[in-house]
Amino acid sequence: MDNNFFLDTERIRILDKIRIIYLLLFLCFFGLTELGRHVYRPFIYANHINDYGIADSIGNLGGIIVQLFFGFLVLNPNKLKGLRLIAFFILGYILYEVAQPILPRGVFDWKDIFGTIIGGAIGLVLFLLIHKIVKQNKTIYRF
């Protein structure tokens, strides 16, 4: 077993059912996030609809889910390392948002932090559900 904090060199070389699920969820949430940014957000703004800040934070809310499942797809972590990865992404997004005022053209927005937390929670629930539902994770191919 590899003692690396995020990476298990043996698991990264395996294609299994869970990794395929990660790919499908990555693609699904990437598409939904882009629809949200390019269709939903302009519609909400054009029609002056109060959606409680969802349109404002759709990039963070969906973006963190996309990055989580991309990270899972690339690293294929076990449950513990996946939980570490989730915490790393959530904290990274929040630190980036807090640093916005000192970055060029950066704007701090509480809605983005809330979007990050909600998106991270959705990613966490999906990750835990996948690991609970997929009992027999058979290796399809070993690189």
Side-chain angles (χ1 to χ4, degrees), residues 59-112:
N60 282 60
L61 193 140
I64 192 163
I65 300 171
V66 170
Q67 285 194 337
L68 283 173
F69 283 100
F70 182 73
F72 298 155
L73 175 63
V74 171
L75 299 177
N76 197 21
N78 61 26
K79 193 172 180 181
L80 176 63
K81 292 182 183 197
L83 293 173
R84 290 175 182 166
L85 201 60
I86 291 168
F88 177 77
F89 275 113
I90 291 172
L91 290 173
Y93 263 63
I94 290 172
L95 288 173
Y96 177 74
E97 189 62 36
V98 169
Q100 287 290 328
I102 59 173
L103 297 172
R105 296 196 295 176
V107 177
F108 175 80
D109 188 355
W110 280 104
K111 291 178 212 162
D112 286 342

Side-chain angles (χ1 to χ4, degrees), residues 11 18 21-22 25 68-69 72 76-86 120-134:
R11 289 187 55 85
I18 288 180
I21 293 170
Y22 293 155
L25 286 172
L68 283 173
F69 283 100
F72 298 155
N76 197 21
N78 61 26
K79 193 172 180 181
L80 176 63
K81 292 182 183 197
L83 293 173
R84 290 175 182 166
L85 201 60
I86 291 168
I122 291 168
L124 172 64
V125 168
L126 289 171
F127 178 78
L128 292 174
L129 278 173
I130 290 166
H131 281 269
K132 183 174 178 89
I133 292 171
V134 180

Side-chain angles (χ1 to χ4, degrees), residues 24-35 61-63 65-66 69 122 126:
L24 295 174
L25 286 172
F26 161 71
L27 293 173
C28 176
F29 279 102
F30 181 79
L32 288 173
T33 301
E34 290 306 306
L35 274 172
L61 193 140
I65 300 171
V66 170
F69 283 100
I122 291 168
L126 289 171

